[in-house]
Amino acid sequence: MHALIQPTRGFPMVRIPSRNGGQPVEVCLVAQLSPGGGDQLFAGASGHQRGHASFVDALDEPSAKLFGVDAEHDDRSSVYSFAVDAGGHPFHRHAGHRVFTAVSGSGGAQLRFSTIDDDALQRDPQAFLDALHVVDVPPDSLFTVRFGGGTWHQFAPRRAGSPHPVFFALSCHTNELGGIRDPALADTIRRDGADIPTLTELLPPAVQQVLAAQPFHHLRVATTTLSLHAAPDTVALRACAHIRARVGRLRRRLAAARAPAGFIGRRYRHAAVELAAVPEGSLLSEQFDAGFHHQDMFALTLPHPQTGSSAQALLADVLEGFLANRPLGVSWLMRLRNVLVRPLRLRRSPLGCPVSSLLSDDRSRLFAGRYPVLDQRVSDDRRHVEVLLGADDRHLAFRACVGVEYSGDGLRITLGTRVRCRNAFGRAYMAVIEHTHRRYIAPTMLEMAVAHALQQRDAPAPARAVAVA
C-alpha cells in the first residue's frame, strides 16, 4: 500500500533529493494519450529512428543524434532520440546533465534512479539498493525528466514480463562536455563525434551481481506513482491500464506494418515567369525551322546568388531536380495521360513532357556525364550553359531547352518548349493540354527543380537532402 496519496491540480511530479550532493532527480507527468497511443507512437517513431543517418543500436537503447555540438558557435548542447523496448536496459550513468521528454508505452514505464556517491558504492555494493528510488509512470503518458550528471538510472516496464515498450524519448544533453575528464573523449565531442553509447558508463560488476541476485520487482524500494485521471492503487486505474494494454498491442502492430515515410517541404520566394519570346541564340530558337505549333519560355531569376557553383554544376543540379523533386500534381496528370494514350501506342513517361527525355536510354550524348541530351552549349566565359532535350512521337515532336546564365542582375534559370504537330490528332492533343502546360506544368516543374538545386547548394557535405515542395 502507498503510505500517502496526494491530489494535485497541477502536473503530478516528484523531486528526489540527491544523496551525493548533486542535482535532484525530477519527473513531471504532463498528459495522457488515447488508449494504445504510446505503443503506436513508439512503433512509428522507432521506424523513423532506424532510418536516420546517425542511428546507433547499442546497450538496449537504440538512439539517433538529431542535433549535434556546434563548436563554431560555442554550442555544446546536443539532442538525441532514444527508445527503450519491453526488455528495458541496464543501469548506467552519464557524466553530464540530462533532460528528456518521453511518451510511455501502453504498459507504463518504471524509472529507477540512484544518486549514491562512488565512495559509498565501492565500500558496500549492497548500499546501491538503499539509495534506489522508483517512479512509476502510467501507460500512454507524456512526461519529462531532469537529473544531474553521475545519476545511475534504468528504465524498465512497470510490470515484469510486459510485452509493451517502455517509452520513446527526446533527450537534451545541455552540455555534452559537462563532467567529461577523458581528453580523448572530450576531443571526440568537440568534433561532434560522440553518441549515447560512448557517453555511457555501466554499473560496476559487483553491483550488477547484487541486482542479479533477485528479480528487481521483488525488491522493496522507495516508490512514487504518478497518475492523471485516477488515484494510485485503485480499481479505476487498474481497469484503465488493462484497457490501454490490450488496445496498445493492436495499435503497435498496425503502426509497425506501415513503412516509415517522411517528407521535407521547402518553399522558395522565387517564381517562374513566362517570357514574351524565346531569346535569340538559344538552342531552342534553332529548332523546327519549318514551323511549329506551340512555343513557351519560362525564367526564374535569383538576385545576387551567394554561390561559388559553376553554371554547369548548377544546371546539373537543376536537371537532377526534374528527376528527384517532381510535382505530385504533374505526376498524377502523367499517370492519367499514360493510361489514356496507351491504346494509341503513343510514347509514355512518368516525367512531364518538357524534360521526359531525361529518362531516355540513349546514352550517346550526355551532359555532366549522366543526363541524356540532344545538344549542349557553353559560352566562352562559361557563365551561360544550356542543354537541349526532346523526343519524337507519332503525333508530335517536342524540344525543350534548360539553361543557366550568370549576369549582372543575378542568376537566371530557364525552361523553354517548342512543339511541332505531325497530324490532326497532334494538333487536337496540344489544344487540350496547352493551357495546363503553360499555366501549371512547365512553371511548376521549373520552380521545383530550382528548389532542389538550391537545397543541394545549401546542404552541408557530405549528406545532401532532396527538397520536396
Side-chain angles (χ1 to χ4, degrees):
M1 288 292 292
H2 287 271
L4 175 66
I5 296 177
Q6 180 181 356
T8 177
R9 294 180 61 86
F11 297 119
M13 63 184 300
V14 59
R15 189 171 190 269
I16 305 168
S18 172
R19 294 198 178 192
N20 60 21
Q23 283 184 273
V25 175
E26 296 169 295
V27 181
C28 179
L29 186 60
V30 178
Q32 199 159 31
L33 284 64
S34 61
D39 277 14
Q40 181 183 34
L41 182 145
F42 182 93
S46 294
H48 286 289
Q49 181 177 253
R50 283 191 296 273
H52 200 274
S54 63
F55 176 65
V56 176
D57 191 354
L59 302 177
D60 297 315
E61 186 178 320
S63 62
K65 182 186 290 185
L66 307 184
F67 309 124
V69 168
D70 186 352
E72 181 181 353
H73 297 94
D74 196 28
D75 186 349
R76 299 179 176 184
S77 66
S78 293
V79 176
Y80 294 82
S81 66
F82 73 94
V84 183
D85 212 334
H89 62 11
F91 264 105
H92 62 280
R93 69 178 178 182
H94 312 290
H97 178 257
R98 295 292 184 266
V99 179
F100 71 85
T101 298
V103 171
S104 60
S106 298
Q110 188 170 89
L111 318 180
R112 304 166 180 172
F113 302 99
S114 177
T115 54
I116 190 171
D117 65 75
D118 288 351
D119 290 340
L121 195 63
Q122 290 176 2
R123 288 195 303 270
D124 181 13
Q126 192 74 29
F128 183 83
L129 301 179
D130 298 331
L132 279 173
H133 194 122
V134 167
V135 180
D136 278 347
V137 174
D140 305 321
S141 293
L142 174 68
F143 63 97
T144 188
V145 179
R146 180 172 72 169
F147 54 86
T151 300
W152 296 103
H153 55 282
Q154 180 186 50
F155 308 131
R158 286 183 70 189
R159 302 287 179 265
S162 170
H164 300 281
V166 178
F167 60 65
F168 188 90
L170 297 176
S171 178
C172 178
H173 300 185
T174 55
N175 181 1
E176 199 83 298
L177 285 167
I180 300 296
R181 294 184 175 86
D182 181 354
L185 179 55
D187 188 53
T188 299
I189 293 170
R190 291 188 188 95
R191 297 196 311 270
D192 195 29
D195 53 28
I196 286 182
T198 61
L199 299 170
T200 297
E201 177 188 357
L202 296 177
L203 270 177
V207 184
Q208 294 183 34
Q209 292 175 6
V210 170
L211 290 171
Q214 59 180 314
F216 189 94
H217 288 85
H218 292 176
L219 298 174
R220 295 181 63 85
V221 298
T223 301
T224 300
T225 300
L226 303 178
S227 63
L228 280 166
H229 304 301
D233 290 334
T234 60
V235 173
L237 191 67
R238 288 192 290 272
C240 180
H242 179 72
I243 293 171
R244 289 178 178 276
R246 295 178 70 87
V247 175
R249 285 194 289 270
L250 174 62
R251 294 185 70 174
R252 183 180 185 182
R253 283 196 291 268
L254 292 174
R258 283 195 216 100
F263 303 90
I264 302 171
R266 173 175 280 190
R267 186 178 298 277
Y268 291 88
R269 296 177 55 219
H270 316 295
V273 297
E274 186 171 5
L275 303 182
V278 173
E280 290 187 14
S282 166
L283 284 173
L284 191 62
S285 67
E286 304 168 5
Q287 308 303 309
F288 302 140
D289 291 338
F292 50 86
H293 299 87
H294 169 86
Q295 172 180 276
D296 63 62
M297 177 69 77
F298 292 88
L300 192 155
T301 302
L302 307 177
H304 309 294
Q306 302 296 316
T307 176
S309 299
S310 67
Q312 291 101 316
L314 186 57
L315 179 55
D317 281 342
V318 171
L319 295 179
E320 181 63 26
F322 287 122
L323 299 171
N325 197 28
R326 309 176 191 181
L328 282 177
V330 175
S331 296
W332 278 107
L333 287 173
M334 290 305 297
R335 291 189 187 102
L336 175 62
R337 181 256 183 207
N338 291 338
V339 170
L340 294 176
V341 304
R342 182 167 186 166
L344 304 175
R345 294 182 290 117
L346 299 184
R347 179 176 173 271
R348 300 186 302 278
S349 173
L351 197 58
C353 175
V355 294
S356 60
S357 62
L358 287 172
L359 299 176
S360 171
D361 293 329
D362 183 2
R363 317 300 288 177
S364 60
R365 189 161 195 174
L366 300 175
F367 176 77
R370 176 177 179 185
Y371 305 101
V373 298
L374 299 180
D375 199 359
Q376 55 185 295
R377 181 179 293 168
V378 181
S379 65
D380 292 339
D381 61 5
R382 310 184 75 82
R383 293 174 63 82
H384 182 202
V385 57
E386 57 182 354
V387 296
L388 184 69
L389 311 174
D392 297 336
D393 207 346
R394 299 178 67 197
H395 62 314
L396 57 78
F398 79 89
R399 299 293 181 265
C401 183
V402 186
V404 171
E405 181 179 10
Y406 283 94
S407 68
D409 296 331
L411 174 65
R412 189 168 80 162
I413 302 102
T414 56
L415 170 63
T417 310
R418 267 189 183 177
V419 176
R420 181 176 183 178
C421 298
R422 307 180 72 174
N423 49 42
F425 176 74
R427 287 189 288 275
Y429 178 88
M430 282 305 303
V432 171
I433 72 165
E434 183 173 17
H435 179 82
T436 303
H437 171 90
R438 194 183 295 272
R439 294 300 181 90
Y440 173 64
I441 294 177
T444 303
M445 292 185 69
L446 177 60
E447 289 170 0
M448 292 189 64
V450 173
H452 172 88
L454 293 175
Q455 173 72 2
Q456 295 294 86
R457 184 195 66 183
D458 295 340
R464 304 210 304 178
V466 175
V468 180

